[in-house]
């Protein structure tokens, strides 16, 4: 019985420690990036490029609500004179799934000239997208659009890679998967921290995957 109690106590202590570490890493990300995140478009400093991070696309090529809000937010920044051009970055690792083409098509439907759009077909995750934006596409001044729960990790990565990026919140509605995504984000923070500490290189530095 004593052994069982010790095991239970150790498990509880271990769980509490894990929770503290998870919340601690999240707090570090938020503290380092709080001054870089904007919600009021009138306060967003002008930058050269708006970076749109990819998210899921439906089988018919239609943007998911999360991705549509990111792209619509980027268009708002452009229409308000806060940015001059677009970088769309996302997953295109197979012929039958292409986040980038879907975003470009949507932008063009909304009246954005194709000459203003740069496509990154190998932004397989947030770290790769940020790394490639600065190192491959040589973007020095940028506003990143994504949801509020995603911005601290995104900007923590960019800041620690030496890029002078800021973020603008793309939340325009409640998302059905928001709770799950927020919990996933807590775990993704550890991956981002590890990648930043190692100065990891993306899977590819080519313009797109083959």
């Amino acid at each position: 019985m004593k052994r069982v109690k010790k095991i239970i106590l150790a498990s509880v202590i271990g769980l509490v420690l894990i929770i503290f570490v998870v919340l601690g890493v999240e707090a570090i990300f938020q503290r380092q990036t709080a001054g870089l995140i904007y919600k009021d478009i009138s306060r967003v400093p002008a930058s050269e490029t708006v970076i749109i991070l990819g998210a899921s696309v439906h089988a018919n090529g239609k943007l998911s609500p999360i991705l549509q809000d990111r792209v619509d937010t980027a268009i708002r920044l452009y229409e308000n004179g806060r940015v001059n051009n677009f970088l769309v970055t996302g997953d295109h690792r197979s012929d039958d799934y292409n986040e980038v083409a879907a975003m470009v098509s949507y932008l063009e439907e909304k009246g954005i000239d194709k000459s203003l759009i740069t496509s990154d077909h190998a932004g397989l995750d947030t770290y790769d997208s940020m790394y490639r934006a600065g190192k491959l596409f040589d973007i020095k001044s940028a506003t990143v659009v994504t949801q509020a729960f995603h911005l601290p990790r995104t900007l923590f990565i960019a800041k620690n890679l030496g890029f002078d990026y800021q973020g603008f919140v793309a939340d325009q509605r409640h998302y059905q998967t928001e709770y799950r995504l927020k919990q996933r984000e807590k775990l993704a923070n550890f991956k981002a921290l590890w990648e930043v500490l190692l100065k990891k290189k993306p899977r590819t530095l080519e313009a797109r995957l083959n």
Side-chain angles (χ1 to χ4, degrees), residues 17 39 83-84 95 113-114 173 181 194 199 203:
L17 288 174
K39 294 182 179 180
V83 298
N84 297 322
D95 291 337
D113 194 284
K114 194 168 185 177
R173 67 185 95 184
L181 289 170
W194 179 252
K199 290 292 189 285
R203 176 176 166 183

Side-chain angles (χ1 to χ4, degrees), residues 132-203:
R132 288 167 57 84
K135 301 287 188 181
L136 179 63
F137 294 95
D138 198 32
I139 294 175
K140 305 299 185 187
S141 169
T143 300
V144 185
V145 290
T146 185
Q147 278 66 32
F149 64 81
H150 188 203
L151 273 172
R153 175 164 63 96
T154 302
L155 295 177
F156 176 86
I157 292 170
K159 181 179 180 180
N160 284 276
L161 288 174
F163 307 145
D164 185 23
Y165 296 170
Q166 61 200 14
F168 186 61
V169 175
D171 300 59
Q172 297 185 31
R173 67 185 95 184
H174 174 74
Y175 308 105
Q176 288 185 343
T177 59
E178 189 168 346
Y179 177 79
R180 179 174 59 82
L181 289 170
K182 286 180 178 179
Q183 301 312 306
R184 175 184 173 275
E185 194 66 19
K186 295 181 190 299
L187 298 178
N189 286 342
F190 285 94
K191 177 174 178 285
L193 183 60
W194 179 252
E195 289 169 329
V196 163
L197 290 173
L198 291 181
K199 290 292 189 285
K200 173 183 167 286
K201 285 194 168 56
R203 176 176 166 183

